Amino acid sequence: MDKIHHSFINVQGLNLHIAESGTGPNVVVFLHGFPEIWYTWRHQMVAAANAGFRAIAPDYRGYGLSDPPTQPEKATYKDFINDLLAILEHLRLAKVFLVAKDFGARPAYQFALLHPERVAGVVTLGVPFMPPELAQFRQNLPEGFYILRWQEPGRAEADFGRLDAKTVVKKIYILFSRSEIPIAAENQEIMDLVEASTSLPPWFTEEDLAEYGALYEKSGFQTALQVPYRKFHEDYEVAELKVKVPALLIMGDQDYVLRFPGMEEYIRNGKVKDFVPDLEIVHLPEGTHFVHEQLPEQVNQIILNFLNKHV
């Protein structure tokens, strides 16, 4: 961790936090998901830097050490994409690789659609490119499905508000590490799906949790509930949904996302390549939704193989 240094960049009046490691000419920008922050990429950043790449991991606006937007309830994916473009401009980076986890796949792919000349390749973990029609899987899941609950204004705020930030992150990490989709009963909240005595996954330490807890204590969950959960229907703003840069999807076979209706078929039958033609898919049999933290050495090597192939 002593190889990672930190700075802030002022973008559209907000101070955005940037973690950085390495000084190579080829740059990798890591985009986190939820409930993550820049810290989720600690293993990958050091590995990339040791392999000669410059690794950069921002906290999105409203996440981690970055300033929240003045109106978190109005935050959009487009804000995140504009912030990413501003970061590249500020750092004078003409072209980068984007490595994204979870919902970070959306801004990564949308950035590649809007600015293909700025993207050398896209790697996503846990979530493939998702056209609007695939997002309709939510209609085939019960009311207690966690995404539906978190889209309901005030519901997650009340649920999370019963606990401190560290406990909320702990429970979400445990939930998202399981292979079944988090679905609550009618008279139950999502946080109630995890007993207080449940242990953390073996690859996620109390020290890791403390880092997350401290940063979510600072940022809260307002922006995180808005983007991604309340902006899934936001338009990609491009005429053709065809990604024209090389791409890699790393999918853990124990990832609960694979259980979403239609998701596994979409990935395994190659339909995803209708939208991302130059896509390589790697399945890790034991991998969960946090495969990059669970199996860092294996994932690091897969990512580095892709980067070296396309520099």
Side-chain angles (χ1 to χ4, degrees), residues 164-171 206 209-210 212-214 216-217:
D164 61 79
K166 181 177 172 181
T167 303
V168 172
V169 174
K170 177 181 179 179
K171 289 195 172 204
E206 287 291 341
L209 179 60
Y212 279 82
Y216 273 101
E217 202 67 58

Side-chain angles (χ1 to χ4, degrees), residues 129-138 232-236 241 275:
F129 179 87
M130 290 178 62
E133 58 266 29
L134 187 64
Q136 300 309 309
F137 66 79
R138 294 186 294 281
F232 275 124
H233 298 294
E234 191 175 327
D235 191 82
Y236 273 97
L241 290 179
F275 305 96

Side-chain angles (χ1 to χ4, degrees), residues 195-215:
E195 295 290 338
S197 59
T198 308
S199 299
L200 284 166
W203 39 264
F204 194 70
T205 68
E206 287 291 341
E207 291 74 21
D208 295 333
L209 179 60
E211 290 280 346
Y212 279 82
L215 289 174

Side-chain angles (χ1 to χ4, degrees), residues 32-34 60-61 63 72-80 103 106-107 221-232 234:
H32 63 79
F34 176 79
Y60 301 124
R61 56 172 61 202
Y63 281 79
E73 72 280 2
K74 293 186 178 178
T76 66
Y77 277 109
K78 191 63 184 297
D79 290 332
F80 288 13
F103 87 82
R106 167 67 190 257
F221 295 95
Q222 271 189 294
T223 308
L225 287 167
Q226 173 68 8
V227 183
Y229 297 104
R230 295 167 187 171
K231 295 304 293 181
F232 275 124
E234 191 175 327

